Amino acid sequence: MMEEKKRILLVEDDEAVGYLLSEYLKMKSFEVIWEKNGKEALVKLDQTKFDLAVLDVMMPEMDGFTLAEKINENFSELPFIFLTAKSLKVDVLKGFYLGAVDYLKKPIDEEELVIRIENLLSRLDKSITKKEEVEAYTIGIYHFNSLNQELMVDGQKINLTTKESELLKYLVEKKNQLCPHKDILIKIWGKNDYFNRKSLNVFITRLRKFLEKDTNIKIENVHGKGYIFRFDP
């Protein structure tokens, strides 16, 4: 089975630098989407799931520091690094203060950038795996193991598909909160579009059927906004 490519959002207004970096990263088996300012990047973040963002600082429309603040507000799970000519100590400190996982100064050798990105993503993958070692939940009368993709009730086992398990886990971890359609689609389907939203509706119907034995469990539809998963612990 072919390993899924890591998807990188490159935000760089310099045509020459942006083209060079995007082509080199693609050559190294990354999927790269290149945007030329912060506003365009925010639109793309609203539509597509990324593994990492590489941000320039000095850009028109919206600078990289402001974009980082928006990422923290709306896409807090997305790691980002700065790649910029702003190399004063105050700029570096501000970058890390905003939550950057690395701050790289231009000009940078393309091979060094790739090695840094690969090492960073490897560490992040290990961190996520460690967090997911225990994935057992009690949902009313149900017991849910997301690693094994199993839902147990009254001694019976329901085998879930990967998408069903991922969706249920997402809803459980955000119980009693509004889960916007957009957030669910970006997190689980990787893209917010019409067809994936139709697919989400189908999966919600399936989960409701699986959980119908406990009348205290409800997946409420908030019209035009998203879903709220309600149950008593």
Side-chain angles (χ1 to χ4, degrees):
M1 185 177 178
M2 186 176 293
E3 186 177 349
E4 187 176 350
K5 289 184 178 181
K6 295 292 186 180
R7 185 179 295 141
I8 295 176
L9 174 63
L10 173 65
V11 192
E12 169 62 67
D13 69 313
D14 186 294
E15 290 279 350
V17 174
Y19 177 79
L20 177 65
L21 291 180
S22 62
E23 290 302 306
Y24 192 82
L25 288 168
K26 289 175 185 176
M27 188 174 70
K28 295 296 183 178
S29 298
F30 291 103
E31 181 180 343
V32 182
I33 294 178
W34 170 29
E35 299 295 344
K36 298 179 178 66
N37 65 62
K39 284 190 175 179
E40 291 177 358
L42 279 179
V43 172
K44 190 59 66 175
L45 284 167
D46 221 20
Q47 300 170 341
T48 306
K49 181 180 178 182
F50 293 91
D51 297 290
L52 179 71
V54 180
L55 314 178
D56 187 18
V57 173
M58 295 181 288
M59 295 184 292
E61 302 292 332
M62 180 187 294
D63 66 63
F65 287 150
T66 303
L67 175 57
E69 291 172 349
K70 298 291 185 184
I71 289 174
N72 287 330
E73 290 172 11
N74 302 298
F75 309 97
S76 58
E77 294 181 356
L78 175 66
F80 60 89
I81 67 177
F82 286 109
L83 176 59
T84 175
K86 287 181 75 69
S87 58
L88 294 176
K89 182 178 179 180
V90 64
D91 296 316
V92 177
L93 291 175
K94 183 173 182 178
F96 283 116
Y97 175 78
L98 288 169
V101 290
D102 208 345
Y103 193 104
L104 310 177
K105 300 169 188 177
K106 294 178 181 175
I108 187 170
D109 179 81
E110 293 85 2
E111 289 186 16
E112 180 186 347
L113 176 61
V114 167
I115 290 171
R116 283 176 176 268
I117 288 175
E118 288 176 342
N119 288 341
L120 172 62
L121 291 173
S122 176
R123 291 201 307 270
L124 291 171
D125 284 344
K126 288 177 183 176
S127 175
I128 291 170
T129 300
K130 194 169 184 180
K131 287 179 183 177
E132 291 179 347
E133 284 176 357
V134 178
E135 295 291 357
Y137 304 86
T138 299
I139 313 170
I141 64 173
Y142 292 83
H143 296 283
F144 170 47
N145 187 312
S146 65
L147 282 181
N148 296 336
Q149 299 178 193
E150 294 175 350
L151 193 62
M152 299 287 296
V153 59
D154 297 334
Q156 295 182 324
K157 181 172 71 174
I158 301 169
N159 292 313
L160 304 176
T161 66
T162 298
K163 278 284 190 295
E164 289 167 350
S165 183
E166 289 176 350
L167 178 57
L168 181 56
K169 179 176 182 289
Y170 185 88
L171 294 172
V172 169
E173 292 185 342
K174 294 184 180 294
K175 69 173 183 175
N176 300 323
Q177 302 175 43
L178 175 64
C179 299
H181 297 124
K182 176 193 75 175
D183 293 357
I184 299 172
L185 291 170
I186 292 293
K187 175 69 176 177
I188 297 174
W189 272 263
K191 192 172 184 180
N192 175 19
D193 63 20
Y194 172 82
F195 298 103
N196 285 336
R197 185 168 295 200
K198 289 293 185 184
S199 180
L200 170 60
N201 293 339
V202 172
F203 277 83
I204 289 291
T205 300
R206 289 185 196 168
L207 291 184
R208 284 176 174 148
K209 185 166 183 61
F210 292 149
L211 298 167
E212 64 186 1
K213 288 188 176 182
D214 190 332
T215 56
N216 291 317
I217 299 173
K218 294 180 176 62
I219 305 177
E220 296 179 1
N221 179 37
V222 181
H223 183 69
K225 293 185 177 180
Y227 298 98
I228 300 176
F229 189 70
R230 299 191 188 277
F231 69 93
D232 294 325

